[in-house]
Amino acid sequence: MAILQVKGLTKEFGGLVAVDHLDLEINKGEILGLIGPNGAGKSTAFNVISGYFKPSAGKVFFKGEDITGLSIDKIASKGLVRTFQHTLLYSDLTVRENVLAGLHLHYKSGLFDALFGFRTAHKRTELERRATELMEVLGLATRSNERSGDLPHGYQRLLGMAIALSSNPDVIMLDEPVTGMNAEETASTMSMIRKMMQEMGTTVLLVEHNMKAVMGLCERIIVLNYGKKIAEGSPKEITQNIAVIEAYLGAKANAT
Ligand SMILES: Nc1ncnc2c1ncn2[C@@H]1O[C@H](COP(=O)(O)OP(=O)(O)OP(=O)(O)O)[C@@H](O)[C@H]1O
Ligand SMILES: [Mg+2]
């Protein structure tokens, strides 16, 4: 059975239908790509699925449970989390402190507690261990004491992923994890995403403009255009799909 199921999901902003009757299913352990030209509705779909926005219509089922319209915190606590297109970090804190802050939010204690005190020595050791493990999986271990705001852009994205992963989610939704990265950073982030899936068993829903990354990571891809699903299939099927080619060419023509 699908771990995440989206049925007829619709989000309107005033007269604009940003997501239009979207159906989507993702199986446990799968990496599903969600692509489409700028403004196609990808981030909005993430926002509605993750509880950041309430849908205008449609349903979201997670592990068989109807989670439609629940808050982002409630949905995250059930094991469905997302990263943002623009990273949200405490830029004055170090990498390790940011990861610890994420872990503490999950373990229901405040940021102050995360930084300046721990309730028990055992909890402290356990959280330190988890933080180290997450930083190792994402290739951040050697930068653990650096101020987050000073990190190169690519590492800030990885830190955003580490924070999202701190609650040990079943499904992570990544919004443009490699956009703006150079080829080397992209390749290393792709291998981190694979490692995360293998070592943590995380299911991934990926929004990304970098086609090399999408084609290299995803077994299955859904294409949105003007909020509507216009194609679904393997990377090969998608690259040969006429409607997809036209959507991207149309987007290019409009931009020039
Ligand atoms: N909060 C909002 N209020 C009003 N309109 C919005 C809002 N968020 C998104 N939109 C509109 O919804 C449409 C879909 O936007 P969205 O950000 O979901 O696209 P996207 O596929 O993520 O694009 P990109 O690839 O550029 O990130 C766009 O027309 C956008 O202007
Ligand atoms: Mg977007």
Side-chain angles (χ1 to χ4, degrees):
M1 197 185 76
I3 187 163
L4 177 68
Q5 216 176 6
V6 167
K7 287 187 182 169
L9 198 69
T10 300
K11 180 67 185 174
E12 290 176 27
F13 297 110
L16 177 90
V17 188
V19 177
D20 197 352
H21 293 89
L22 175 65
D23 292 328
L24 171 161
E25 281 193 2
I26 180 163
N27 296 314
K28 197 167 161 24
E30 191 183 19
I31 175 159
L32 175 69
L34 184 61
I35 67 170
N38 291 113
K42 306 177 297 292
S43 294
T44 304
F46 267 28
N47 283 331
V48 178
I49 294 169
S50 63
Y52 195 71
F53 289 152
K54 298 225 182 304
S56 309
K59 292 273 180 204
V60 181
F61 296 91
F62 183 57
K63 294 190 273 190
E65 182 189 349
D66 185 352
I67 59 161
T68 318
L70 296 183
S71 70
I72 192 162
D73 292 345
K74 188 94 189 142
I75 290 176
S77 74
K78 291 181 185 292
L80 175 61
V81 302
R82 54 87 54 89
T83 61
F84 285 86
Q85 192 165 346
H86 304 287
T87 322
L88 303 172
L89 300 170
Y90 297 108
S91 52
D92 279 332
L93 301 188
T94 67
V95 169
R96 172 176 288 275
E97 286 166 341
N98 263 293
V99 176
L100 280 170
L103 285 163
H104 268 264
L105 284 178
H106 177 59
Y107 288 94
K108 302 274 182 274
S109 56
L111 177 63
F112 187 84
D113 198 21
L115 295 177
F116 304 112
F118 296 90
R119 284 193 197 130
T120 64
H122 172 73
K123 183 172 162 192
R124 180 192 173 126
T125 317
E126 175 55 22
L127 293 190
E128 289 282 350
R129 192 190 62 73
R130 280 284 295 146
T132 304
E133 195 177 82
L134 278 169
M135 289 187 296
E136 275 169 7
V137 171
L138 291 170
L140 290 162
T142 57
R143 296 184 175 259
S144 67
N145 295 319
E146 285 183 34
R147 183 182 169 275
S148 305
D150 296 336
L151 288 177
H153 177 77
Y155 283 94
Q156 294 197 359
R157 287 282 170 88
L158 288 170
L159 180 53
M161 276 169 58
I163 294 168
L165 283 171
S166 62
S167 62
N168 201 16
D170 302 291
V171 177
I172 186 168
M173 307 200 286
L174 302 173
D175 198 354
E176 304 203 14
V178 308
T179 297
M181 287 186 183
N182 63 33
E184 197 185 322
E185 289 173 326
T186 300
S188 108
T189 303
M190 283 170 68
S191 77
M192 296 307 164
I193 293 172
R194 283 199 198 94
K195 201 164 153 216
M196 168 188 93
M197 295 176 68
Q198 281 156 5
E199 293 186 13
M200 303 179 69
T202 318
T203 302
V204 180
L205 181 56
L206 174 74
V207 163
E208 184 47 66
H209 280 292
N210 181 319
M211 285 304 143
K212 207 172 159 205
V214 175
M215 301 295 163
L217 284 169
C218 301
E219 297 132 49
R220 198 158 60 87
I221 296 170
I222 286 178
V223 189
L224 287 186
N225 195 27
Y226 296 111
K228 282 197 168 76
K229 182 174 14 177
I230 57 164
E232 177 167 359
S234 67
K236 191 164 174 231
E237 287 163 346
I238 291 302
T239 47
Q240 294 169 348
N241 184 299
I242 299 296
V244 175
I245 296 166
E246 279 176 0
Y248 276 94
L249 288 178
K252 260 203 191 113
N254 285 338
T256 52

